[in-house]
Amino acid sequence: MEKRKIYETDPYLKPYAEAIEARHLRIQQTRDFFAREGSLSEGINNHLYYGLHRESNGDWVFREWAPNAVKIHLIGEFNNWKRTEAYALKPLGGGTWEIRLPAMFLHHGELYKLFIEWPGSGAERLPSYATRCVQDSVTKLFCAQVWNPDSPYEWKHANPGRHLQPLIYECHIGMSGEREGVSSFDDFRREVLPRVARLGYNTIQIMALQEHPYYGSFGYQVSNFFALSSRFGTPEEFKALVDEAHAHRISVIMDIVHSHSVDNEAEGLSRFDGRDDLYFHTGAQGYHPAWGSRCFDYGKNETRAFLLSNLKFWMEEYRLDGFRFDGVTSMVYWDHGLGKDFGDYSLYFDSGVDEDALIYLSLANRLVHELRPQAVTIAEDVSGLAGLAAPYEAGGIGFDYRMAMGVSDHWIKWIKERRDEDWSMGEMWWELTNKRADEKTISYAECHDQAMVGDKTIIFRLMDKEMYFGMNIGSENLAVDRGVALSKMIKLVTAATAGNGYLNFMGNEFGHPEWIDFPREGNGWSYKYARRQWSLADSPFLRYGRLEKFDAAMISLVRKFRLLTSPAEPLIADEEKKVLIFKRKTCIFAFNFHPSASYTDYGFEAGGGKYRVVLDTDEPEYDGFGRLRTGEEHLCVEGRLYLYLPARCAIVLDYITD
């Protein structure tokens, strides 16, 4: 059955039907340019040609693309970092350089670089396709490293396939441990992955996997796109993590950065062969005004091939289940979307759009899904670009999901700017469910952005400094009681109204008390806030563990009833009493956001039958006051259901069929 075009299902897109078709013609033409025997995935193989490779006879071959170079030497521990003719690359034409070396000339673990000469100058560079880079602990400089272990990793478990409702645990390997320092892939596999499995999340989204010179960039200032960050361990250790996640039927998706590149020249791609615009735009357009980084020119076939090969490399080498594409808004608009209010559809089609970026993103999605049809792609976009997460066949760009980024913004706004009694139930419902019907979304109340220093997590906004004094069980603190109650309700209403998936950032499931502040000059290079204090959740004397239990119960509910596979239906938005009630699948969700008023026999139309309470935010095991009876059944009377709704409490009821 042929898919209806997005301009047929959305009347606001009809004026742009011609532009959508023209865009898709360019996408198809570009795909055909790269395809081989009709397959895009067969035609994308730069990573197999460029870089350092061991040949079948044991010898080495290294190739690099540097069209502005006049000489290139391989330098390293094997030749005392000297430029010698034995390690000089030869030009092959078209900007490609090559050197072939006997097996004995290079050994596993040896460090190396390139010395590239160009008209008038030259400098050391890291190979653009280097798959292993390491940092010197003293000089802080990076080198490429020959990586060819005697025993390659042997995979044990198959990819789990696509989950109907992605329940994503966003995480950062380095800050995932409790000790003050950088945690490893092995640490995460042993200590954190079992927690994720126990909580019930079916996907982990890992940040900062691509090598980056500055740890404090959270991995968003990438220098070496094919290199796994060596801070966290070896490629084999990461493969073991992925493999064990797959053993738990947990998918692993990568937070990939193709939106920009670090401007460092010694480590990155900037002025790689002396040219300012090798992979990037020329002049000011080649520099991001807010991020201080380099902006890719997605119209260059060499750039497209580099980035597409990068996706294929990560999928094939590490058996990843997909990608979350960072900074899509910055990619798509010439002004990077800075300070722009996207309130008009024309902004998605006018001269402010970088059509080359959209072509690249569409090709990226088609490549990923050719390589693995069950793979997942997610777009981080704040502009609401219509068609971004619509199928290519329908006129879209082809992402599987888009992040519902406005949801977290509204929670911050409501908590920060309004009294609890001024929250609007109608506005809350609208903002939580206002999603394009033809595109799938991932919702979240907060992600890593809200946990960064300079911002606040939801629970910290609700409690502020009282969090440091009132989180012991049995303490009497009104601010903490409010924060605990509302944080559970906010998570539940966000998850229950999510479009098609839900995301939580590592530690937020138990209300982690500290912000994230990576080591930097301003904090004395301290790791104190670049970690996760799991012991707080494990302590029987603190409330954190009870919040973690609630999160696990909520995720279990979503999984059990497959809640996110059907849309939510509104029932009540009572502005006076601050009650929000809606139905999803067979479950009824009833929220009383009023700070002090509880309601007995709150009645509403439910259609008849009997319902049983299956989740209650007020249960003592979730640090509630126990004002309701667990598992209580309610019978509709003349089609109406009557409930006791305590203040700052939410309950979920399931329809009883027997």
Side-chain angles (χ1 to χ4, degrees):
M1 182 177 176
E2 187 175 342
K3 292 185 179 292
R4 296 183 66 194
K5 299 289 187 178
I6 55 175
Y7 52 76
E8 294 174 330
T9 57
D10 183 350
Y12 291 103
L13 285 174
K14 283 187 177 180
Y16 308 102
E18 187 176 336
I20 292 170
E21 292 296 342
R23 177 180 289 169
H24 266 237
L25 177 61
R26 289 190 62 198
I27 292 170
Q28 187 60 43
Q29 290 172 338
T30 309
R31 180 198 178 278
D32 293 343
F33 174 83
F34 284 106
R36 188 168 67 188
E37 297 179 359
S39 169
L40 179 61
S41 59
E42 287 295 322
I44 297 298
N45 290 301
N46 272 31
H47 59 293
L48 300 178
Y49 182 74
Y50 292 108
L52 181 64
H53 300 281
R54 198 80 183 262
E55 299 195 291
S56 58
N57 64 358
D59 292 345
W60 299 94
V61 61
F62 177 87
R63 301 185 189 93
E64 186 59 81
W65 184 66
N68 195 45
V70 294
K71 283 185 182 179
I72 302 180
H73 287 88
L74 203 63
I75 60 173
E77 293 180 320
F78 39 80
N79 60 9
N80 202 27
W81 302 98
K82 302 295 184 181
R83 284 174 271 168
T84 63
E85 284 307 306
Y87 289 89
L89 279 69
K90 295 179 173 57
L92 298 183
T96 296
W97 296 73
E98 179 186 86
I99 185 171
R100 293 179 177 273
L101 297 168
M104 67 185 72
F105 275 46
L106 294 176
H107 301 90
H108 173 67
E110 288 183 320
L111 303 180
Y112 71 100
K113 292 184 179 182
L114 300 176
F115 194 95
I116 302 180
E117 298 179 49
W118 54 82
S121 190
E124 293 181 355
R125 293 289 187 260
L126 297 189
S128 57
Y129 287 83
T131 58
R132 174 76 173 171
C133 297
V134 294
Q135 186 178 28
D136 184 274
S137 59
V138 178
T139 66
K140 303 302 180 184
L141 297 176
F142 278 82
C143 291
Q145 186 177 39
V146 178
W147 199 256
N148 186 50
D150 292 334
S151 301
Y153 185 82
E154 295 184 9
W155 295 93
K156 303 174 185 66
H157 305 284
N159 295 67
R162 183 178 295 191
H163 301 290
L164 289 177
Q165 42 181 18
L167 302 171
I168 302 173
Y169 196 83
E170 184 186 34
C171 51
H172 181 283
I173 300 297
M175 58 163 287
S176 65
E178 184 142 1
R179 68 179 179 87
E180 295 186 25
V182 179
S183 290
S184 69
F185 294 124
D186 278 349
D187 293 333
F188 187 94
R189 178 177 55 81
R190 290 191 303 261
E191 300 167 12
V192 182
L193 188 59
R195 302 183 77 101
V196 178
R198 188 174 69 247
L199 287 166
Y201 290 88
N202 58 29
T203 304
I204 54 174
Q205 176 180 301
I206 308 181
M207 309 169 65
L209 287 176
Q210 295 164 292
E211 193 60 86
H212 47 290
Y214 180 43
Y215 186 49
S217 73
F218 227 144
Y220 290 121
Q221 293 272 346
V222 173
S223 53
N224 312 103
F225 286 78
F226 290 82
L228 181 73
S229 181
S230 60
R231 286 185 182 89
F232 313 134
T234 67
E236 287 67 39
E237 288 165 344
F238 179 57
K239 290 175 183 178
L241 190 166
V242 174
D243 211 9
E244 191 155 330
H246 288 166
H248 289 288
R249 310 305 295 164
I250 294 175
S251 297
V252 182
I253 61 177
M254 174 183 178
D255 195 350
I256 200 159
V257 181
H258 282 181
S259 46
H260 61 133
S261 174
V262 71
D263 68 348
N264 299 37
E265 296 177 8
E267 299 97 349
L269 298 173
S270 188
R271 289 178 49 82
F272 181 75
D273 63 353
R275 283 177 52 183
D276 190 51
D277 63 340
L278 186 64
Y279 291 99
F280 309 108
H281 286 290
T282 59
Q285 196 65 55
Y287 292 84
H288 199 292
W291 298 343
S293 52
R294 300 305 313 273
C295 298
F296 287 112
D297 183 347
Y298 303 102
K300 291 182 176 179
N301 285 328
E302 295 85 357
T303 302
R304 290 167 173 162
F306 177 84
L307 295 175
L308 291 171
S309 293
N310 191 233
L311 294 171
K312 186 173 181 180
F313 166 79
W314 285 100
M315 290 189 73
E316 292 188 336
E317 183 68 17
Y318 297 109
R319 294 198 178 183
L320 298 180
D321 301 288
F323 301 94
R324 179 259 201 190
F325 283 72
D326 177 70
V328 168
T329 307
S330 179
M331 297 172 70
V332 169
Y333 302 96
W334 290 111
D335 61 3
H336 310 294
L338 298 172
K340 182 180 288 185
D341 180 15
F342 293 93
D344 192 311
Y345 271 41
S346 65
L347 296 175
Y348 305 145
F349 301 97
D350 64 15
S351 59
V353 175
D354 182 354
E355 292 289 336
D356 289 327
L358 283 176
I359 289 171
Y360 165 69
L361 288 170
S362 185
L363 293 180
N365 276 279
R366 295 182 74 176
L367 173 65
V368 169
H369 292 118
E370 273 191 29
L371 290 168
R372 186 169 297 130
Q374 297 298 309
V376 169
T377 57
I378 305 171
E380 187 222 23
D381 168 54
V382 298
S383 74
L385 178 75
L388 188 64
Y392 173 81
E393 297 78 11
I397 300 303
F399 281 97
D400 294 304
Y401 301 90
R402 68 190 311 151
M403 305 298 291
M405 301 183 70
V407 171
S408 59
D409 292 339
H410 281 92
W411 282 123
I412 293 171
K413 176 182 177 182
W414 296 329
I415 294 170
K416 185 178 179 180
E417 299 179 3
R418 300 181 189 176
R419 302 179 306 163
D420 298 1
E421 51 265 45
D422 294 331
W423 289 10
S424 167
M425 300 298 99
E427 181 186 11
M428 183 183 296
W429 172 259
W430 170 256
E431 297 299 349
L432 290 175
T433 60
N434 181 24
K435 306 173 181 76
R436 295 186 62 84
D438 57 351
E439 299 186 28
K440 294 181 179 180
T441 57
I442 306 292
S443 292
Y444 56 94
E446 53 189 346
C447 67
H448 71 274
D449 288 327
Q450 287 73 43
M452 294 294 289
V453 67
D455 205 338
K456 293 180 180 180
T457 62
I458 283 175
I459 200 163
F460 196 74
R461 283 187 182 277
L462 291 167
M463 298 181 187
D464 205 62
K465 66 181 185 299
E466 297 301 317
M467 193 171 192
Y468 296 116
F469 311 108
M471 285 299 285
N472 54 306
I473 290 174
S475 64
E476 296 183 0
N477 187 306
L478 293 177
V480 171
D481 289 343
R482 169 182 178 259
V484 167
L486 284 179
S487 66
K488 290 181 290 185
M489 296 178 72
I490 287 170
K491 287 180 182 178
L492 180 59
V493 74
T494 302
T497 57
N500 309 89
Y502 175 75
L503 178 143
N504 166 68
F505 177 67
M506 176 177 66
N508 283 355
E509 68 275 6
F510 66 85
H512 199 282
E514 303 289 6
W515 54 82
I516 301 165
D517 190 12
F518 281 91
R520 55 187 173 85
E521 187 175 1
N523 64 16
W525 303 103
S526 170
Y527 287 89
K528 182 177 181 180
Y529 298 110
R531 60 193 180 109
R532 297 283 90 177
Q533 299 179 59
W534 305 108
S535 60
L536 297 176
D538 295 337
S539 171
F541 308 109
L542 299 173
R543 301 182 187 218
Y544 297 104
R546 296 182 176 186
L547 290 173
E548 184 183 60
K549 283 184 179 179
F550 173 76
D551 196 86
M554 178 184 76
I555 295 299
S556 176
L557 179 87
V558 174
R559 292 185 68 154
K560 177 181 178 181
F561 294 101
R562 292 187 168 189
L563 288 177
L564 308 187
T565 60
S566 295
E569 308 168 32
L571 297 177
I572 295 290
D574 189 330
E575 298 292 2
E576 180 183 354
K577 295 184 176 180
K578 303 304 172 191
V579 171
L580 177 65
I581 302 175
F582 56 89
K583 187 174 183 178
R584 194 157 197 180
K585 301 284 282 195
T586 59
C587 294
I588 288 177
F589 294 78
F591 293 79
N592 178 9
F593 281 96
H594 200 285
S596 58
S598 298
Y599 308 112
T600 57
D601 295 330
Y602 190 96
F604 58 95
E605 293 292 334
K610 186 189 293 185
Y611 288 83
R612 178 187 294 118
V613 175
V614 292
L615 185 62
D616 166 20
T617 64
D618 201 47
E619 286 193 35
E621 68 173 317
Y622 308 142
D623 204 42
F625 294 101
R627 291 169 289 180
L628 294 164
R629 288 197 295 272
T630 303
E632 186 173 29
E633 295 183 358
H634 297 267
L635 181 66
C636 288
V637 179
E638 296 181 353
R640 294 178 65 82
L641 199 59
Y642 293 88
L643 303 176
Y644 170 45
L645 297 179
R648 286 192 182 133
C649 174
I651 60 174
V652 185
L653 306 100
D654 180 40
Y655 183 77
I656 302 173
T657 57
D658 58 343

